[in-house]
Structures are given as C-alpha cells and as structure tokens.
Amino acid sequence: MNINLTLLAQLISFAMFVWFCKSFIWPPITEAMEERQKLIADGLNAAEQAGEDLEKAHLEVAEQLTEAKTQAAQILEQANKRASQIVDEAKEQAVSEGQRLKEAAQADIDQEVNRAKEQLRAKVASLALAGAEKILEASIDENAHRSIVDKLAANL
Amino acid sequence: MAGETITTGEYISHHLTNLTYGKLPADYVRVDAEGHTHVLEQAQWTMAHSAQEASDMGFMAIHVDTMGWSIFLGILFCWSFARAAKGATVGVPGGFQNFVEIVIDFIDDNVKSIFHHKNPWVAPLGLTVFCWVFLQNLMDLVPVDWIPELAKLMGIHYMRVVPSTDVNATAGMAIGVFILILYYSIKQKGIGGFAAELAFQPLPKWALPFNLFLELVGLIAKPISLALRLFGNMYAGEMVFIIISLLPFYIQWVLSVPWAIFHILIITLQAFIFSILTIVYIAMAYDKH
C-alpha cells in the first residue's frame, strides 16, 4: 500500500470526469426528462378536459332529447285538439246549412202557394166578371166595377 | 489458482502488487529474476520488478494499472452516457436512454432531498462519483486470475484490475471532495465565517483551542473516512476472492458464487455511500451550523 503520484493523477482525472459529466451528460438528459414530464402532464390535462367535455355533451344531449319529446307531445296534443275542433265546426256548419236550406225551401213553398192563391183569385175575379157579364148581358163598365170585383176576390 | 512453483503467500502478495512505474534513486541495488544484482549509477524512471522495488520508489511513482483501468472505466462511463445524452429524445426513451434516465433520476432525487441550494455542479458530481466508483468496484466481479494471467502472457507481471482497491484511487477522489468542501465553505461563509465555525463551537469562545482541535479532526475525518471506507471494503472483498481462488478449482464455486452475489450488493452500496456522502458533505459546507 504505497501512497504516491497515483493520488494526484486520480484527483486530476476525477476532476476531468466531473467536468465532462457536468458539461455534456447532465444538462441534455435532465432537459429531455423535464420536457417529457411537461409533455405527459399536458397530455393528462388534455385527457381530463376531454372527459369533462364528453360528460357535458352527454348531459346536453339528454336535455335536448327530453325537450324534443315534450315538444312532440305538445304538438300531438294540439293537433288532436285542432282536429276535434274542425270536426265540431264542420258539424255545426252542416247543421246550420241544413237549417238554412230548409228555410229557403219553406220560403219558396210559401211564395209558390201565395202566387197560386193570387192566380186563383185573379182567375176567380175574371170568371166572376165573365159570369156576371153573361148574367147581366148588359155591358158593365169594366173599369167602374172592377174594384168591386177585386174586393170580392180579395175576400175569397 | 496457485501454481506449483509459487507459494500461497507469494501468490497473494503478487495479486496485491500494483504495476508501478517510478523513479529509483541512485545507488539502488536491483535484483533480477535469476538473483543477479546490479547497482544503479544514477536515479532512473523504470517499471518496478518487485513489490520491494515498488515501495522503494516512494512518492515518485505511479500505479499504471490503477490509472489505466480507472481512466478506461471513466471514459466508458462518459462515452456511454454522453451517447445517451446526444440521442436523448423527449419522446419514448429507448433501452439505454431509459437506463441512463433511471440512474440520473435516482441521483437527482437524492441530491434534491439532501442539497437545498442552487449549484449546477453538485448533481453531476454525485452522478460521476456514483457511476465511476460503481464501475471500478464492478471490476471486482471479474474472476481474480483472468486479467492478470492475460497480462502475464503479454509480458506484464503485475496487474490489479480493481482501481478502488488502491488507496491512491479512493484517496484521490476523497481529496477532490475535500477541496470542494473547503472551497464551498469559504465561498458561502467567507474565510472569517468558516474559521469562526471551526473555532467557536461547540463550546463557547473560552474553549477555542479545544473547539479548534475538535472541529479540525471532524473536518479531516471527512475525506479520510470517505477514502478508507471504500478502500477497506473493496480491499477486503478482493482479498476474500483471492483466498477463495487458492482452493481447488472444482470447489471454488461453493464460496465464490455466494460471495460474488453478496458482493453485487456491496459494490453498489459502496458507490452509493460515496456519492451520497459527497453530496452531504457539500451540503454541510453550504449550511450554517
């Protein structure tokens, strides 16, 4: 076990290896490691964010679906209501139209009856006049007696 | 395995001798393999031919194997990690980048829990210490005879492949850490603040010499314990491997396999302890007591 120059030589080579390690080994590797650490952290954050977004989207979809369903139900109900309303209206219209037609027919009938009555009266008057002419043989002033006969006819 | 021609003691001491290149003084008597002697006329830089010569070289010597293997392993660490750093992508990391990131993340977590100041050097320092010490320790799992026998074939007589079993290697790193402790202590607290910390606690000012003695011992103990803990563990571990390899080859696995498996834990743990204590000591240099 001799102590000799090896001691100093070893000291010098030790210093050189430490210097080399500090200059060329440590910085690039630790930098790469730190950068990777950051990259992984960012990736994890992004994944978490995406998960949250997905959750939110799911909730939104469910909400929209229920809304759509209620809307559809509402529309259906309204349509049903409107249909029955239309049917009711049509019934009412039909009834009133029938009524109106009936009334018109009645009026026509009445008019026809009156006209027939008038005609009959006129006929009766002229018949009466003709009969009276025959009876009297004398000429009767038609104009003078016309009103009398008309009055008679009106009383028929 | 012990050869027939050498004794057990020779085998062990051979395995514990570094390949040393150093300066032999003038008038040194060298003994060659055949037992002939010759006297050096002047001081000479040369390879040591024996453990005795290696120790006689004194401080002016260098362990070629320790330096070679530790620098090779350090470059292996730098090269492979730098390659991963160059190809580092923010996207999905591939095989080796994944491994590098696990190691870096592990060190970074520890640094963040211990060291609460801003300093771009501390975490890379911890990583370098951990990886380099781990690779050095890992050489202990290579069977003790493989590389030395290969080296012998190539004409190299001594070869210790585990740099962290050489106290020079561990102490070299520990001294580096000690220099950083002093540097950051003075930088954070000023020379006065640092001196006050050494002199005026734990007891009040009247006990200044006692305080100074206590704190200085505590300060010096940091690098010494750092160096000797790693060295002691690895040296002992290697010694056990060497002793196991003295057994007959067909029975060695009974001990070497469990010890190697246990050793995987030890080498990792020692690398971890060295790097964590480095960070702790620098954090202590920053913190005010």
Side-chain angles (χ1 to χ4, degrees), chain B residues 17-267:
Chain B
T17 303
N18 281 104
L19 180 65
T20 312
Y21 181 79
K23 191 180 183 186
L24 285 172
D27 303 328
Y28 187 79
V29 183
R30 297 194 86 176
V31 183
D32 61 19
E34 284 86 41
H36 302 302
T37 60
H38 75 276
V39 179
L40 291 179
E41 286 163 13
Q42 54 191 0
Q44 190 188 353
W45 282 89
T46 181
M47 279 291 176
H49 291 317
S50 65
Q52 184 57 45
E53 278 188 12
S55 79
D56 286 342
M57 282 170 177
F59 189 75
M60 294 309 279
I62 192 156
H63 292 159
V64 180
D65 47 2
T66 298
M67 287 319 297
W69 284 109
S70 67
I71 288 174
F72 165 73
L73 293 167
I75 288 172
L76 183 70
F77 155 67
C78 285
W79 172 75
S80 57
F81 272 52
R83 221 173 54 120
K86 207 176 172 188
T89 61
V90 177
V92 182
F96 189 68
Q97 194 196 337
N98 220 334
F99 167 75
V100 168
E101 284 186 6
I102 289 168
V103 176
I104 285 186
D105 209 33
F106 170 68
I107 296 291
D108 204 31
D109 281 350
N110 281 309
V111 170
K112 277 182 182 143
S113 67
I114 295 168
F115 184 77
H116 304 293
H117 306 273
K118 227 179 143 52
N119 187 336
W121 284 93
V122 173
L125 174 70
L127 176 71
T128 311
V129 168
F130 179 72
C131 293
W132 197 26
V133 171
F134 177 77
L135 287 173
Q136 291 182 21
N137 295 352
L138 190 65
M139 295 303 289
D140 217 359
L141 293 179
V142 178
V144 284
D145 277 321
W146 283 11
I147 296 174
E149 287 299 320
L150 261 177
K152 199 180 274 179
L153 289 179
M154 286 156 64
I156 300 165
H157 287 286
Y158 297 102
M159 179 58 72
R160 286 181 78 184
V161 296
V162 193
S164 47
T165 57
D166 182 350
V167 75
N168 291 292
T170 60
M173 282 187 283
I175 287 170
V177 174
F178 187 57
I179 290 170
L180 288 176
I181 292 171
L182 295 180
Y183 173 74
Y184 284 123
S185 291
I186 291 168
K187 195 184 168 201
Q188 287 304 112
K189 301 160 188 164
I191 290 187
F194 185 43
E197 200 166 79
L198 292 175
F200 301 143
Q201 62 166 16
L203 293 176
K205 285 184 184 180
W206 55 263
L208 189 139
F210 176 74
N211 286 343
L212 207 57
F213 171 74
L214 210 65
E215 288 291 321
L216 279 177
V217 167
L219 188 67
I220 302 292
K222 287 175 184 173
I224 291 178
S225 67
L226 211 52
L228 292 186
R229 180 184 305 106
L230 178 61
F231 164 70
N233 270 282
M234 298 321 295
Y235 188 84
E238 192 198 26
M239 187 71 106
V240 171
F241 275 123
I242 293 170
I243 290 169
I244 289 170
S245 74
L246 289 168
L247 292 170
F249 74 90
Y250 51 84
I251 204 77
Q252 280 181 20
W253 64 272
V254 175
L255 291 172
S256 67
V257 169
W259 182 243
I261 291 169
F262 178 58
H263 219 61
I264 294 171
L265 175 70
I266 293 183
I267 63 177

Side-chain angles (χ1 to χ4, degrees), chain A residues 118-139:
Chain A
E118 284 300 314
Q119 273 175 353
L120 211 56
R121 258 183 219 130
K123 258 314 193 286
V124 167
S126 34
L127 272 175
L129 274 179
E133 250 174 47
K134 286 281 189 305
I135 296 162
L136 292 172
E137 285 267 290
S139 70

Side-chain angles (χ1 to χ4, degrees), chain A residues 1-37 39, chain B residues 55 58-59 61-63 67 70-71 74-75 78 81 85 89-91 97 100-101 104-105 108 121 123-125 127-129 132 167-169 171-172 176 231:
Chain A
M1 205 177 89
N2 313 308
I3 297 285
N4 55 32
L5 279 177
T6 314
L7 191 76
L8 297 178
Q10 191 77 4
L11 174 59
I12 292 164
S13 45
F14 178 52
M16 275 163 49
F17 288 135
V18 171
W19 168 80
F20 185 89
C21 180
K22 192 263 170 190
S23 305
F24 301 109
I25 296 173
W26 192 266
I29 293 178
T30 47
E31 269 163 33
M33 285 164 74
E34 268 164 30
E35 220 165 301
R36 186 178 320 123
Q37 218 164 23
L39 207 70
Chain B
S55 79
F59 189 75
I62 192 156
H63 292 159
M67 287 319 297
S70 67
I71 288 174
I75 288 172
C78 285
F81 272 52
T89 61
V90 177
Q97 194 196 337
V100 168
E101 284 186 6
I104 285 186
D105 209 33
D108 204 31
W121 284 93
L125 174 70
L127 176 71
T128 311
V129 168
W132 197 26
V167 75
N168 291 292
F231 164 70

Side-chain angles (χ1 to χ4, degrees), chain A residues 6-98:
Chain A
T6 314
L7 191 76
L8 297 178
Q10 191 77 4
L11 174 59
I12 292 164
S13 45
F14 178 52
M16 275 163 49
F17 288 135
V18 171
W19 168 80
F20 185 89
C21 180
K22 192 263 170 190
S23 305
F24 301 109
I25 296 173
W26 192 266
I29 293 178
T30 47
E31 269 163 33
M33 285 164 74
E34 268 164 30
E35 220 165 301
R36 186 178 320 123
Q37 218 164 23
K38 202 174 150 291
L39 207 70
I40 291 169
D42 287 352
L44 286 176
N45 278 342
E48 205 173 310
Q49 188 66 45
E52 271 171 26
D53 285 354
L54 188 67
E55 190 86 352
K56 226 182 274 177
H58 274 313
L59 284 178
E60 214 167 296
V61 165
E63 208 172 293
Q64 277 181 354
L65 210 63
T66 30
E67 204 175 316
K69 271 180 185 164
T70 34
Q71 253 177 10
Q74 259 174 7
I75 288 168
L76 206 63
E77 203 181 328
Q78 268 177 358
N80 279 336
K81 218 191 266 177
R82 180 93 190 105
S84 56
Q85 204 177 349
I86 287 169
V87 168
D88 285 353
E89 266 173 26
K91 267 183 194 166
E92 241 167 71
Q93 231 169 13
V95 167
S96 63
E97 184 69 15

